[in-house]
Amino acid sequence: MQLKYCSSRSRGLTLMEVLITLGLLSVLFGLGSQLLQGAFKTMRIQSQKGQANQAMQLALNRICCDVRQAQTFSVPDSTHLQLEIVDPAYPTGAFKLNPYASQNLFVVVYSTDGEGTLLRTITPKSGGSSDIQTVAQGIQGFGVVWPSPTYAGTLEVSLSINDENLGLRSIVSQVFPTVAH
């Protein structure tokens, strides 16, 4: 058996071969990182869209639930909604007293402040301090449309947000109140 020795030319890589290999690998890693960066940016924007839509939908659900539970309601203007609801903590059962007495009612007002926050203000009808709750933030517009004071139909509530990545987005919900206007 005879051993073959490699020639001096095949014992390693030349400097030029190493530099070309490193250059090609850098280009490949650069392209890969650009693809990943684009994918993460797209995921972030989609996540923001989902969160914004979810926040608006939760706010609309809250408003619609209160409208359905309202004993009376009014629409003083297109950006305010005022409701009277029975205290949710009021006891239920066969021997309950009058749940519609003023001490058992709350006045709930939905409105926006000047900074894009949808607020829910709850005040006992019999008097007392108000509780102000933040329902949603980043709201560009809040509108309430009641077609006619004599019309017993649906109440239309709309919310809009404006985001630099998303643009202007609106959600409209129609709710049929359980009481007459």
Side-chain angles (χ1 to χ4, degrees):
M1 181 156 103
Q2 195 174 22
L3 292 176
K4 289 188 173 182
Y5 290 100
C6 294
S7 67
S8 64
R9 176 105 172 100
S10 65
R11 288 189 186 193
L13 298 173
T14 64
L15 179 60
M16 187 57 74
E17 292 170 333
V18 170
L19 290 176
I20 290 173
T21 302
L22 287 176
L24 289 174
L25 285 175
S26 325
V27 169
L28 289 176
F29 284 133
L31 290 174
S33 68
Q34 290 296 322
L35 287 174
L36 284 175
Q37 185 179 10
F40 284 126
K41 181 178 180 182
T42 302
M43 282 180 23
R44 187 182 71 245
I45 290 172
Q46 291 300 325
S47 175
Q48 287 174 346
K49 283 182 182 180
Q51 289 173 353
N53 284 338
Q54 185 179 21
M56 285 195 317
Q57 192 61 52
L58 287 172
L60 278 177
N61 287 346
R62 178 101 186 241
I63 294 168
C64 292
C65 183
D66 279 350
V67 168
R68 285 186 198 101
Q69 293 176 356
Q71 301 306 307
T72 63
F73 71 92
S74 64
V75 182
D77 59 49
S78 63
T79 61
H80 288 81
L81 175 62
Q82 182 172 326
L83 313 162
E84 283 187 10
I85 60 172
V86 175
D87 181 1
Y90 187 76
T92 59
F95 300 106
K96 63 183 178 182
L97 299 174
N98 181 7
Y100 308 113
S102 64
Q103 68 268 18
N104 300 324
L105 292 177
F106 285 93
V107 176
V108 178
V109 177
Y110 284 94
S111 61
T112 56
D113 64 2
E115 299 170 5
T117 303
L118 179 63
L119 301 173
R120 181 178 187 250
T121 306
I122 306 165
T123 308
K125 188 171 181 177
S126 60
S129 62
S130 297
D131 179 28
I132 300 175
Q133 301 171 344
T134 299
V135 179
Q137 293 181 328
I139 300 296
Q140 182 74 21
F142 167 64
V144 182
V145 176
W146 181 255
S148 166
T150 59
Y151 175 69
T154 59
L155 181 72
E156 187 175 282
V157 181
S158 64
L159 289 175
S160 301
I161 60 168
N162 193 7
D163 186 286
E164 65 273 356
N165 292 327
L166 310 175
L168 184 64
R169 300 177 58 88
S170 297
I171 294 182
V172 178
S173 183
Q174 295 181 339
V175 60
F176 189 79
T178 56
V179 295
H181 177 61

